[in-house]
Amino acid sequence: MRFRPCIDIHNGKVKQIVGGSLKDEGNKAKTNFSSELGASFYAELYRKDRLKGGHVIMLNSRDSEYYGRTRQQALDALHTYPGGLQAGGGVTADNAKEYLAAGASHVIVTSYVFQNGVFHEENLEALADRAGKEHVVLDLSCRKKEDGHYYVVTDRWQKFTDMRLTHEVLNRLAGYCDEFLVHGVDVEGKRSGMETELVRMLSEWDQIPVTYAGGIGSLDDLEQFRNVSRGRLDFTIGSALDLFGGNIPYEKIKDMR
């Protein structure tokens, strides 16, 4: 169990948002925190503290008027900490190598693989082929449906896919990637506690590393996460971290194992 830092970029700024509020139309999101500091500032902090495997996420679609500014912020972070950060947001088989060449250790992908809510295995295969499986992180961020099961969501978490998250699915997809990243979208950015059922299910599977994000809002929440996951999952904290206006001290968790 280790801390994975994050740099989320929306409308050209480092932000922390409520995950389920993100909308492409009008480039809107409910914002918990907006920084006046650039992405490179946070990348340099993580570099100095030798934190690897953090996520730089571009939250605007490629059609957005802000996409150029958001992408430049991401590239600035990658250049600042080459080999230390993973890049996600609009990644495809065609552009993955650009981010790796810019300094990303891995590329993070969802929408390219789950187009129009449907799983396209051929796209995941093409990405793993061109970027190298060892450089691919598959984002399986999910939300619970009325049937009580978790389904992968895509297009900046706005659209449900037809893929229910199970151990069988993880087994199938692990052959194409080096890690999984899973946000509990319904609690993302709310500091209301983790998705306990989701964390338990993920921790019972252990073929490749899995990073969980969503809802951890206090040190007590983090201790509960450790207990439920039995220390088998890595974790990300965004809005609740004091770097982004929250109450959890970065200095207390940066070296957590």
Side-chain angles (χ1 to χ4, degrees):
M1 174 176 142
R2 64 183 174 123
F3 170 59
R4 302 287 197 103
C6 64
I7 305 173
D8 294 347
I9 308 166
H10 182 245
N11 293 356
K13 287 195 166 189
V14 175
K15 290 185 180 180
Q16 286 295 317
I17 67 167
V18 176
S21 73
L22 188 61
K23 305 292 181 188
D24 284 341
E25 186 177 354
N27 301 292
K28 294 179 180 177
K30 183 177 179 181
T31 301
N32 286 330
F33 177 85
S34 181
S35 178
E36 294 305 315
L37 301 170
S40 59
F41 168 86
Y42 296 96
E44 176 61 14
L45 176 66
Y46 303 152
R47 186 193 68 80
K48 285 182 177 178
D49 289 333
R50 300 179 182 179
L51 291 173
K52 288 200 169 186
H55 314 113
V56 181
I57 307 295
M58 296 168 278
L59 293 173
N60 291 103
S61 74
R62 280 180 285 181
D63 297 329
S64 167
E65 63 190 284
Y66 295 100
Y67 179 72
R69 286 162 53 187
T70 291
R71 184 174 184 272
Q72 188 56 56
Q73 285 272 10
L75 292 174
D76 289 347
L78 297 177
H79 293 151
T80 299
Y81 191 8
L85 297 166
Q86 305 171 353
V91 171
T92 69
D94 293 328
N95 66 18
K97 285 191 174 180
E98 296 175 24
Y99 293 108
L100 296 174
S105 66
H106 296 69
V107 288
I108 304 168
V109 65
T110 310
S111 299
Y112 175 66
V113 173
F114 294 96
Q115 292 183 357
N116 298 314
V118 178
F119 175 52
H120 290 269
E121 192 163 5
E122 70 278 9
N123 287 354
L124 182 55
E125 187 173 1
L127 178 66
D129 231 25
R130 296 190 200 178
K133 169 184 178 292
E134 69 276 13
H135 296 298
V136 175
V137 176
L138 186 54
D139 185 333
L140 297 177
S141 296
C142 56
R143 305 180 82 162
K144 186 181 280 189
K145 277 191 172 182
E146 290 180 359
D147 64 6
H149 298 297
Y150 290 96
Y151 289 80
V152 176
V153 288
T154 186
D155 297 330
R156 286 153 302 284
W157 305 332
Q158 298 170 58
K159 183 182 293 183
F160 275 101
T161 72
D162 57 1
M163 180 170 281
R164 179 181 158 194
L165 199 57
T166 64
H167 289 168
E168 290 72 26
V169 164
L170 296 176
N171 289 336
R172 174 184 177 188
L173 299 180
Y176 294 108
C177 60
D178 196 46
E179 300 180 7
F180 291 128
L181 171 62
V182 182
H183 290 78
V185 174
D186 287 328
V187 297
E188 173 67 22
K190 296 182 179 179
R191 312 181 201 179
S192 58
M194 65 183 171
E195 289 270 17
T196 302
E197 183 182 340
L198 175 61
V199 168
R200 184 174 290 113
M201 185 273 285
L202 293 171
S203 70
E204 290 168 350
W205 184 90
D206 62 357
Q207 287 192 29
I208 62 175
V210 178
T211 299
Y212 169 82
I216 298 173
S218 66
L219 291 175
D220 286 343
D221 285 347
L222 187 54
E223 188 57 31
Q224 184 181 6
F225 171 79
R226 180 190 292 278
N227 292 336
V228 172
S229 69
R230 292 172 287 172
R232 293 181 174 180
L233 304 177
D234 291 345
F235 66 97
T236 292
I237 297 175
S239 297
L241 202 62
D242 59 358
L243 292 181
F244 305 116
N247 296 318
I248 297 179
Y250 168 76
E251 291 295 327
K252 280 196 173 182
I253 68 168
K254 67 179 184 180
D255 298 320
M256 187 169 285
R257 294 290 187 272

